[in-house]
Amino acid sequence: MSGRTGRQLVLDLAHREAQGRDDFLVTPSNAAAVAMVDRYPDWPHYGVVLLGDAGSGKSHLLEVWRQAAGARLIAAASLADEPPDQLLAGGALAIDDAPGAGLDERALFHLLNLARQTGSHVLLASKTDPAHWAVALPDLASRLKALAVARLDPPDDVLLRGVLVKLFADRQLAVEEPVVSYLMLRMPRSLEAARVLVAEIDSLALVEQAAVTRGLASRVLQRLTEPGMFPEEG
């Protein structure tokens, strides 16, 4: 600590959010997708696509399902690194960031075929509907069209408020309700923006060894509203 500034040096350490089922906030904007995940293994199809924008809660819900199903988790870009029978050895596979960069279409096609033949289950998380993926392999396009789609809609007020409160609690920050309401009226309507905002407020409060007040939150908001500071939606 510097005697002149009274400020604390902050270490840039990774922060791990709670990722359990009880930590996932359910509101009308995501209830249908949560219901689909909770139906496992009684799905209408062997595969489901979890569809939503960046910061919509896809990764959290994917992790909830992974834990419930005892599934492996793999990035879509890594599908060709192992044969399908190894990926589905446990009977369930969670695929994040689909279709990813440079999707191996044949690898995904063989994986979906094997899942169908063996009664395994696959959950793919994506920001875009599979109908809009640039898929050249006709058989894969047909398989993707058959998958059920569970959509995560943009956050409503209840979800956004709940996520802000949860993110502050994850960081053990005591924040009064008027501060949360102040943030909601001025921040972008995005869960990813909420994560960035809470992280920056936490960092400034630690540097200044100060409580999270509306004044402190206002200073963070003013800085983050500069072009390129908040993540873009979508």
Side-chain angles (χ1 to χ4, degrees), residues 18-125:
Q19 291 286 300
R21 174 63 178 85
D22 292 342
D23 301 302
F24 194 91
L25 306 174
V26 182
T27 73
S29 65
N30 61 25
V34 174
M36 176 67 79
V37 168
D38 284 348
R39 281 181 60 185
Y40 171 82
D42 184 26
W43 281 354
H45 206 266
Y46 62 87
V48 171
V49 178
L50 193 57
L51 186 62
D53 289 339
S56 63
K58 288 193 310 298
S59 293
H60 188 164
L61 196 53
L62 190 70
E63 174 61 16
V64 168
W65 180 79
R66 188 200 67 76
Q67 292 179 19
R72 282 191 60 183
L73 174 64
I74 188 171
S78 302
L79 281 174
D81 293 350
E82 297 180 56
D85 59 335
Q86 288 186 20
L87 292 174
L88 290 173
L93 182 67
I95 302 175
D96 202 4
D97 195 27
L103 174 69
D104 189 313
E105 296 186 16
R106 293 193 176 277
L108 181 56
F109 172 70
H110 290 308
L111 177 79
L112 294 178
N113 264 354
L114 185 61
R116 184 182 63 170
Q117 294 166 6
T118 60
S120 300
H121 293 84
V122 179
L123 182 61
L124 303 97

Side-chain angles (χ1 to χ4, degrees), residues 31 49 74 89 97 110-111 125-126 140 149 173 178 181 185 194 202 219:
V49 178
I74 188 171
D97 195 27
H110 290 308
L111 177 79
S126 179
L140 175 59
V149 175
L173 288 173
S181 295
L185 288 173
D202 184 19
R219 284 188 284 139

Side-chain angles (χ1 to χ4, degrees), residues 90-174:
L93 182 67
I95 302 175
D96 202 4
D97 195 27
L103 174 69
D104 189 313
E105 296 186 16
R106 293 193 176 277
L108 181 56
F109 172 70
H110 290 308
L111 177 79
L112 294 178
N113 264 354
L114 185 61
R116 184 182 63 170
Q117 294 166 6
T118 60
S120 300
H121 293 84
V122 179
L123 182 61
L124 303 97
S126 179
K127 290 190 289 188
T128 56
D129 193 303
H132 300 147
W133 294 2
V135 172
L137 191 63
D139 288 340
L140 175 59
S142 177
R143 292 286 183 272
L144 291 173
K145 287 179 182 178
L147 299 182
V149 175
R151 297 179 186 273
L152 290 158
D153 292 329
D156 52 29
D157 283 352
V158 175
L159 180 57
L160 190 59
R161 181 181 295 274
V163 166
L164 282 172
V165 171
K166 174 186 177 296
L167 290 171
F168 281 124
D170 285 347
R171 294 173 177 272
Q172 300 180 9
L173 288 173

Side-chain angles (χ1 to χ4, degrees), residues 5-25:
T5 64
R7 292 177 174 248
Q8 183 175 355
L9 179 64
V10 178
L11 299 178
D12 186 16
L13 300 178
H15 170 71
R16 182 178 178 84
E17 296 174 12
Q19 291 286 300
R21 174 63 178 85
D22 292 342
D23 301 302
F24 194 91
L25 306 174

